């Protein structure tokens, strides 16, 4: 039996969130967690971090909670102990240790600890935009990290997602997704104190096909354990990188921006688009259909998201808008 808990956990101060504490109990092969008692001793963080227990975790007094697991699954994610952010009276950086202990029906025991901090790092990246990148050749993305928050980050992670491009799998401290969009996750164990900035000593490299005209890369920089950090499954990154380790070097806190996650990439490939349309035939009062479209004579690929269509009818002809679909009262969202 094991307990998976983050080594460090940061909580929001100015914009608290309601987040399930990321703790998982694993009963081991061939067993279920049914009957396991999980005790959470959070007495050290009382007055620093606000916790809310419900349902299976409501037993106990003060900031010591008892959770009685009833699931038939081998692994169980703790849903009923919720973090409400830092306590309003806590100074940023105030921290304490939360101790987890589990006892099974057969007497098995497991323990784990998490250091919870009131406050969180605020990590910014470099503001990057690439224009006229040579098609079919590698594109280098030079970035870094700046901590604008009140709390030091004991380490930080970087995730990249490339749209219609491939990320070069060249760094040994990164792991890459095997399928789907080209994705990377890199971790750095360097502490980043408030006001400190580092730049990567080498670039991330992406490459697209020869017909690519526009693309983008999403880059997220975060401290693992942030309760408002990116939610992704680290286990999806199964392909190890080859080559050297991506390192850091101190730099001036210039060129960084809070909204730096979207990196647009424009290549020097071009499209040659012209409008095409069918005949408009009918008598006054008729309702007729008009086929319209476009033709691309260029070598670049046309992405419809970057095109604007405008249809101007002859004088005396009225365009009839499509009928709006009736809203479905059973639908979760309005129709697109």
């Amino acid at each position: 039996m094991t307990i998976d808990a983050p080594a460090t956990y940061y909580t929001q101060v100015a914009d608290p969130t309601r987040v399930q504490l990321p703790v998982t109990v694993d009963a081991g092969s061939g067993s279920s967690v049914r009957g396991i008692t999980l005790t959470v001793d959070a007495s050290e963080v009382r007055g620093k971090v606000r916790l809310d227990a419900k349902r299976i975790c409501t037993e106990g007094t003060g900031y010591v909670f008892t959770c009685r697991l009833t699931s038939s699954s081998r692994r169980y994610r703790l849903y009923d102990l919720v973090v409400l952010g830092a306590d309003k009276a806590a100074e940023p950086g105030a921290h304490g240790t939360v101790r987890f202990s589990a006892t099974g029906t057969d007497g098995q025991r497991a323990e784990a600890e998490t250091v919870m901090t009131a406050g969180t790092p605020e990590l910014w990246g470099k503001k990057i935009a690439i224009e006229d990148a040579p098609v079919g050749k590698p594109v280098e993305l030079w970035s870094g990290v700046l901590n604008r928050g009140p709390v030091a980050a004991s380490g930080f992670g970087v995730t990249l997602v490339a749209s219609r491009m491939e990320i070069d799998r060249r760094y040994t401290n990164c792991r890459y997704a095997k399928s789907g969009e080209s994705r990377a996750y890199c971790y750095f164990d360097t502490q980043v104190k408030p006001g400190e900035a580092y730049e990567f000593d080498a670039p991330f490299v992406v490459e697209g096909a020869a017909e690519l005209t526009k693309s983008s890369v999403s880059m997220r920089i975060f401290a693992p354990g942030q309760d408002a950090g990116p939610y992704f499954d680290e286990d999806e990154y199964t392909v190890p990188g080859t080559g050297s380790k991506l390192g850091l070097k101190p730099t001036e806190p210039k060129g960084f921006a809070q909204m730096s996650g979207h990196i647009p990439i424009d290549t020097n490939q071009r499209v040659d688009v012209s409008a095409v349309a069918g005949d408009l035939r009918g008598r006054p009062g008729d309702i007729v259909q008009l086929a319209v479209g476009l033709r691309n004579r260029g070598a670049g690929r046309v992405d419809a998201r970057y095109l604007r269509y405008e249809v101007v009818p002859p004088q005396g002809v009225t365009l009839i808008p499509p009928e709006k679909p009736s809203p479905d009262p059973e639908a979760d969202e309005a129709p697109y």
Side-chain angles (χ1 to χ4, degrees), residues 140-204:
E140 296 183 347
L141 306 177
W142 292 85
S143 190
V145 59
L146 166 67
N147 186 0
R148 287 290 303 270
V151 174
S154 57
F156 68 94
V158 180
T159 59
L160 282 86
V161 181
S163 175
R164 301 183 299 282
M165 301 186 83
E166 292 294 323
I167 302 171
D168 193 351
R169 302 172 177 177
R170 61 173 59 187
Y171 299 122
T172 55
N173 52 335
C174 300
R175 299 199 309 272
Y176 303 85
K178 186 175 182 179
S179 59
E181 287 184 299
S182 186
R183 293 170 290 161
Y185 168 62
C186 312
Y187 179 74
F188 301 84
D189 57 9
T190 301
Q191 184 186 55
V192 185
K193 298 178 181 178
E196 284 188 338
Y198 292 88
E199 61 184 5
F200 301 125
D201 62 4
F204 291 105

Side-chain angles (χ1 to χ4, degrees), residues 83-288:
V83 183
L84 302 178
D87 193 286
K88 294 180 180 179
E91 292 290 331
H95 60 276
T97 300
V98 178
R99 295 174 174 85
F100 306 90
S101 59
T103 304
T105 54
D106 56 359
Q108 277 191 310
R109 291 184 57 83
E111 296 181 346
E113 293 184 350
T114 295
V115 176
M116 298 191 77
T117 302
T120 184
E122 185 180 342
L123 303 181
W124 292 8
K126 286 285 187 76
K127 189 67 175 176
I128 304 172
I130 305 297
E131 297 181 356
D132 287 331
V135 293
K137 294 184 179 181
V139 177
E140 296 183 347
L141 306 177
W142 292 85
S143 190
V145 59
L146 166 67
N147 186 0
R148 287 290 303 270
V151 174
S154 57
F156 68 94
V158 180
T159 59
L160 282 86
V161 181
S163 175
R164 301 183 299 282
M165 301 186 83
E166 292 294 323
I167 302 171
D168 193 351
R169 302 172 177 177
R170 61 173 59 187
Y171 299 122
T172 55
N173 52 335
C174 300
R175 299 199 309 272
Y176 303 85
K178 186 175 182 179
S179 59
E181 287 184 299
S182 186
R183 293 170 290 161
Y185 168 62
C186 312
Y187 179 74
F188 301 84
D189 57 9
T190 301
Q191 184 186 55
V192 185
K193 298 178 181 178
E196 284 188 338
Y198 292 88
E199 61 184 5
F200 301 125
D201 62 4
F204 291 105
V205 177
V206 295
E207 187 170 344
E211 71 273 10
L212 186 67
T213 56
K214 288 181 178 288
S215 179
S216 64
V217 171
S218 174
M219 180 182 295
R220 299 288 300 274
I221 304 176
F222 61 98
Q226 287 180 297
D227 66 10
Y231 301 102
F232 71 104
D233 187 355
E234 188 176 335
D235 294 338
E236 293 181 359
Y237 298 81
T238 58
V239 181
T242 59
S244 60
K245 180 179 179 180
L246 181 61
L248 302 169
K249 54 185 180 180
T251 187
E252 293 294 320
K254 298 178 180 179
F256 294 87
Q258 184 177 20
M259 305 298 291
S260 59
H262 178 72
I263 303 174
I265 299 175
D266 289 356
T267 74
N268 60 3
Q269 186 62 276
R270 297 293 181 262
V271 299
D272 182 6
V273 177
S274 58
V276 294
D279 292 334
L280 183 63
R281 296 182 180 276
R283 294 177 298 181
D286 286 349
I287 297 177
V288 297

Side-chain angles (χ1 to χ4, degrees), residues 273-277 292-295 297 310:
V273 177
S274 58
V276 294
V292 296
L294 60 88
R295 179 181 292 110
R297 294 186 175 89
E310 184 175 1

Side-chain angles (χ1 to χ4, degrees), residues 36-40 56-57 59 65-69 78 81:
I36 290 178
T37 299
L38 177 68
T39 301
V40 183
I56 67 170
C57 294
E59 293 184 33
F65 309 95
T66 298
C67 309
R68 300 190 183 278
L69 310 187
L78 189 62
L81 193 58

